[in-house]
Amino acid sequence: MIGVRWREHWEELRRYPSALVGMAIIAVLVGLSLYTVIAIPYSEALDKWRGGEPWQLHPVNAGSLWADRLVGGRQPSTLVIDSDAAEVEEATFEGGRRLRMALAFDYDYDGFPSEINLFLRAEGHEQRPFARLLWLAPDGRELMLGGYRIGRDHRISLSQDRALERRLGGLVPHIGLLAEPDSDSEAQPQVQPGRYTLILDAVVFDEQAGIDAQLVLYGRVHGIAGTDHQRRELSLALMWGTPVALAFGLLAAVGTTITTLIIAAVGVWYRGWVDATIQRLTEVNMILPLLPILVMVGTLYSTSIWLMLGVVVVLGIFSAGIKMYRAMLLPIREAPYIEAAQAYGAGNLRIVMRYMIPRILPVLIPTFVTLIPTFVFLEASLAVLGLGDPVLPTWGKVLNDAQSQSALYNGYYYWVVSPAVLLMLTGLGFAMLGFALDRVFNPRLRSL
């Protein structure tokens, strides 16, 4: 009978397009969560989110690549030119060798790169090598960039070379090196497309050790979600934020709903001082503000997401839902089948768990479904206020970073829009399904 009843509910649910859309959104979010957990293990995600070396080849504050291409833009993406694919000329002399390598690339974008860095690695050298850099433009211009002593891991930030900026007429190097001839800082420089070459002329004093070079022209767009101020790919936080948000919302909803329902049923069945105590605790808890308490816990103790989840569940046990469940359970307690269960010797626990609670479960399912996004938004709100888990990459943490870096003021709209859209989709999916379930399980709403 139960199986037949649930099949009838399913057939009824399929009549509502909103329910199908809501289930499709939820299925996509669940699928993304499973893929994220498998593709990017938890420990790997935490290591990457801390920032640092894993992101050194990514641009700072770059927009999403697909959004730029969708509107017909041709902003540059990051170009990495490695010495492994470069032509290397070698000549020996007494006491050392001379290495000459050409790092060539074709540039055909509408905009300039955001910065230019040259990474050099010289391992196994007893004496530090010396290198000179020469820049060749497509029109044949040559510009000497200077000489450098190379360490084991050496980075040359051409974009921050003030002497080179003055030689380029006041243009920052990552613009001046790729601009049309005779461009200056007062006019709007134009990109000169074509083939550029960086000549690395190095002198090494070791017969065996060599030099590895990597020229990086950082783009203005990167990946599917862009990057933040620490060069981190926002897609990592958006992907890992999905299972975190769904887990937090589901666990909080399950913990509060089931516990509250059981407590309400126990109070209705035993009545007397048990019911009175539960009602007084509920009334006291109803006037306690949840968000300020969580802010206080996060400020004075810890912002761990699991601690916050525990506080949410504890404060949600004696919520206003107890009074609603109590009103629904009171007539059930006086039903004839409850008297019949007592007559054949059913215990108190069996009557509560087997005969009372299952009677109102179908009505509570829509409320439970719509409660999940409430806790998802609560976790995001805490993170936006700076009280989110500092370790986990979440949607709220992305919004908090965007706020602290004035993303909207600086025009980095993608930084705010992406997590906001995911939050809205989550709320929309569960709300559409919950409203449809409410119509299915509450016959009085079907004609509305």
Side-chain angles (χ1 to χ4, degrees), residues 159-420:
S159 300
Q160 300 178 11
D161 191 332
R162 298 309 172 203
L164 179 57
E165 181 178 340
R166 290 191 294 270
R167 293 164 56 195
L168 291 170
L171 292 173
V172 289
H174 58 268
I175 294 180
L177 291 175
L178 290 89
E180 291 281 359
D182 303 325
S183 298
D184 55 52
S185 57
E186 297 181 358
Q188 182 68 30
Q190 299 295 321
V191 176
Q192 182 183 24
R195 188 168 186 82
Y196 291 85
T197 305
L198 177 64
I199 303 295
L200 174 64
D201 198 352
V203 176
V204 300
F205 306 97
D206 189 282
E207 295 183 358
Q208 301 298 328
I211 296 177
D212 294 324
Q214 198 171 48
L215 177 64
V216 183
L217 286 82
Y218 295 89
R220 301 280 180 176
V221 292
H222 183 88
I224 61 173
T227 62
D228 64 6
H229 61 298
Q230 298 186 39
R231 304 183 187 274
R232 300 175 299 190
E233 288 189 1
L234 292 179
S235 59
L236 174 65
L238 298 179
M239 293 174 64
W240 252 101
T242 307
V244 171
L246 293 183
F248 187 92
L250 182 62
L251 292 176
V254 169
T256 55
T257 302
I258 293 180
T259 309
T260 300
L261 180 57
I262 293 175
I263 291 176
V266 169
V268 168
W269 179 250
Y270 284 99
R271 294 183 176 181
W273 67 270
V274 176
D275 187 37
T277 302
I278 292 174
Q279 296 307 309
R280 300 296 82 75
L281 289 174
T282 301
E283 292 164 0
V284 171
N285 188 71
M286 285 172 61
I287 65 174
L288 296 177
L290 176 60
L291 186 58
I293 291 177
L294 291 174
V295 171
M296 183 178 64
V297 171
T299 303
L300 301 179
Y301 187 64
S302 173
T303 56
S304 170
I305 191 173
W306 306 117
L307 175 64
M308 293 296 183
L309 177 61
V311 174
V312 168
V313 172
V314 170
L315 294 178
I317 290 176
F318 291 95
S319 63
I322 281 187
K323 292 189 174 293
M324 180 184 68
Y325 300 153
R326 182 175 182 270
M328 298 170 65
L329 289 167
L330 281 174
I332 295 177
R333 188 187 190 283
E334 307 300 331
Y337 68 88
I338 298 294
E339 296 181 2
Q342 288 180 289
Y344 75 71
N348 293 330
L349 182 62
R350 179 176 177 82
I351 291 176
V352 170
M353 303 299 295
R354 182 66 180 84
Y355 296 103
M356 293 181 63
I357 291 179
R359 292 290 295 179
I360 66 172
L361 279 180
V363 182
L364 297 183
I365 289 177
T367 304
F368 168 77
V369 171
T370 55
L371 192 61
I372 294 176
T374 302
F375 293 112
V376 171
F377 277 89
L378 177 61
E379 185 276 330
S381 300
L382 291 172
V384 170
L385 294 174
L387 298 172
D389 196 314
V391 176
L392 288 175
T394 62
W395 299 339
K397 191 71 174 73
V398 173
L399 290 172
N400 177 252
D401 289 341
Q403 180 186 25
S404 64
Q405 298 296 317
S406 303
L408 292 178
Y409 177 79
N410 292 315
Y412 307 137
Y413 302 107
Y414 67 91
W415 202 341
V416 178
V417 170
S418 299

Side-chain angles (χ1 to χ4, degrees), residues 45-205:
L46 295 188
D47 289 340
K48 287 185 174 181
W49 191 243
R50 293 188 183 99
E53 187 175 352
W55 311 107
Q56 69 175 358
L57 299 183
H58 293 173
V60 175
N61 295 332
S64 59
L65 178 62
W66 67 269
D68 175 71
R69 300 299 187 260
L70 185 65
V71 298
R74 295 183 64 253
Q75 289 298 316
S77 55
T78 300
L79 295 176
V80 180
I81 303 93
D82 201 287
S83 59
D84 292 340
E87 299 179 2
V88 180
E89 299 177 5
E90 182 175 345
T92 59
F93 61 90
E94 185 177 355
R97 292 177 297 148
R98 180 178 178 180
L99 303 177
R100 182 181 176 89
M101 61 181 67
L103 303 176
F105 63 94
D106 293 313
Y107 196 86
D108 189 25
Y109 295 105
D110 292 339
F112 294 97
S114 58
E115 59 179 315
I116 301 177
N117 284 338
L118 177 64
F119 296 93
L120 301 174
R121 177 182 291 270
E123 294 183 337
H125 294 266
E126 296 182 1
Q127 185 176 350
R128 294 174 62 185
F130 181 81
R132 289 186 178 276
L133 303 179
L134 177 65
W135 185 267
L136 303 180
D139 59 359
R141 286 177 299 147
E142 297 183 0
L143 180 64
M144 185 62 67
L145 303 184
Y148 303 87
R149 280 286 184 182
I150 304 174
R152 183 176 181 274
D153 288 296
H154 195 87
R155 185 187 73 169
I156 300 175
S157 182
L158 298 177
S159 300
Q160 300 178 11
D161 191 332
R162 298 309 172 203
L164 179 57
E165 181 178 340
R166 290 191 294 270
R167 293 164 56 195
L168 291 170
L171 292 173
V172 289
H174 58 268
I175 294 180
L177 291 175
L178 290 89
E180 291 281 359
D182 303 325
S183 298
D184 55 52
S185 57
E186 297 181 358
Q188 182 68 30
Q190 299 295 321
V191 176
Q192 182 183 24
R195 188 168 186 82
Y196 291 85
T197 305
L198 177 64
I199 303 295
L200 174 64
D201 198 352
V203 176
V204 300
F205 306 97

